[in-house]
Amino acid sequence: MCGYTVDSMDPLIARKTWRTAEPIHAMIYFVPEATEQYRSVGVEHERAGYFASRAASLGEASAELVIATFYNFSPDAVRSAIPMTWLTAPPQELVNARLTAAGLALHRMLGTAADSDDVAEAAELARRAALVASERIEGRPLFAGHANLSWPSEPILVLWHAQTLLREYRGDGHIAALIADGVSGLEALVMHGATGEVPPSVLKSTRQWSDEAWAAAADGLIEAGWLTDGHELTDLGRTHRLWVEDRTDELSLAPYRSLGEAGCARLRELTRPLSKAIVESGALTPVRR
């Protein structure tokens, strides 16, 4: 597996490879094991558990730092959880709780497949890509915090941690592209909702924006010519969104380029059945926090 290299690659491959394996990481935001583990260290509220467990790699981060790095959540929602949660659970306890939850949930959903040779091979490939990303931490604060965490030893958790790193690496690049295009976190959510991929009501409730704030952002995008009065993307809005997505792919390319097209194809082949099992378990069903 370590022989895959390439000099150039279509940035779309980065998006496809990340997206195929993303459920392996993303399940941590929804599974009951996470809630249970955060409660075991004294964090009772699910929303606080989400913010604090993801931000814990940054140490005792301020609310402002979490608002900046998470980008599209209501500042009031962040301030309701951060920094008060650090008084209950130190960051390292939440890092450990999150890793424990990931292991329990993945073993529950994947069964014997979690200990398979395919998982070990996928973990090797994903870790290789993540280590390349870790050589490029500049301008990627949330990724850098996660990259500073210790690697687990169990292959399924190596795979989960590697995908977490690759996800945050891409996320920081996505924020850079949004900022370059002059799009706020809330405006990005409104535009995402306008695509029809995710209902606006889900995006609004999970990020805890008020109806008034959401409507104001939509009005601004309508005035800019990016949304129609019916809250659908205009041609100009689609152009801006495509520009951001293309830049995100380009900024996410380096770790996947290190694997080459054959390595990325193999990683997708290995992780596709794992992701499918996670999705079919219902683990990614959005819930109100």
Side-chain angles (χ1 to χ4, degrees):
M1 292 304 107
C2 293
Y4 295 133
T5 57
V6 74
D7 293 328
S8 62
M9 180 185 286
D10 182 350
L12 186 59
I13 293 176
R15 185 192 307 184
K16 289 180 176 179
T17 308
W18 159 73
R19 183 172 286 171
T20 299
E22 177 58 7
I24 296 168
H25 161 76
M27 60 85 204
I28 197 62
Y29 303 122
F30 307 103
V31 292
E33 288 86 351
T35 301
E36 292 164 4
Q37 290 301 313
Y38 303 153
R39 285 177 177 168
S40 76
V41 296
V43 181
E44 295 290 336
H45 195 277
E46 289 185 31
R47 177 59 67 184
Y50 165 76
F51 286 127
S53 65
R54 189 176 171 209
S57 66
L58 300 171
E60 292 191 5
S62 67
E64 288 70 25
L65 180 55
V66 175
I67 291 166
T69 53
F70 285 33
Y71 201 65
N72 63 15
F73 286 84
S74 163
D76 289 341
V78 176
R79 292 189 180 104
S80 71
I82 302 293
M84 289 189 300
T85 303
W86 308 133
L87 300 177
T88 303
Q92 189 58 51
E93 287 190 8
L94 279 158
V95 168
N96 296 341
R98 193 185 197 213
L99 185 63
T100 297
L104 291 170
L106 288 168
H107 277 286
R108 171 177 59 81
M109 291 182 287
L110 301 178
T112 57
D115 299 313
S116 67
D117 291 342
D118 281 356
V119 162
E121 183 181 348
E124 179 188 352
L125 282 167
R127 177 170 179 162
R128 180 181 167 193
L131 288 174
V132 169
S134 298
E135 297 171 358
R136 302 163 182 258
I137 64 172
E138 59 274 9
R140 301 181 193 260
L142 191 51
F143 166 77
H146 284 83
N148 196 45
L149 300 178
S150 299
W151 279 88
S153 57
E154 185 183 359
I156 189 61
L157 287 177
V158 171
L159 178 57
W160 176 80
H161 183 59
Q163 183 62 20
T164 299
L165 291 175
L166 293 167
R167 195 265 186 143
E168 299 296 7
Y169 186 85
R170 182 180 179 87
D172 283 343
H174 187 58
I175 290 172
L178 288 168
I179 291 172
D181 200 37
V183 181
S184 71
L186 177 52
E187 288 170 337
L189 286 178
V190 174
M191 292 177 73
H192 190 185
T195 67
E197 296 172 1
V198 181
S201 60
V202 172
L203 295 170
K204 182 166 53 176
S205 65
T206 56
R207 273 66 172 184
Q208 294 196 309
W209 288 99
S210 68
D211 292 340
E212 294 77 14
W214 189 275
D219 287 345
L221 291 169
I222 291 170
E223 184 176 352
W226 293 16
L227 281 188
T228 68
D229 290 340
H231 290 196
E232 296 179 347
L233 288 173
T234 64
D235 288 343
L236 181 60
R238 280 189 290 272
T239 297
H240 277 274
R241 195 165 192 279
L242 180 61
W243 186 90
V244 168
E245 294 303 317
D246 287 347
R247 297 296 81 69
T248 300
D249 291 340
E250 292 170 0
L251 292 170
S252 305
L253 185 56
Y256 297 103
R257 186 168 52 210
S258 71
L259 299 182
E261 290 188 21
C264 287
R266 180 59 176 161
L267 182 56
R268 292 181 69 198
E269 179 184 10
L270 292 166
T271 57
R272 188 175 289 110
L274 305 175
S275 293
K276 182 180 179 182
I278 291 168
V279 171
E280 290 180 347
S281 76
L284 302 188
T285 303
V287 295
R288 271 188 177 272
R289 286 187 170 88

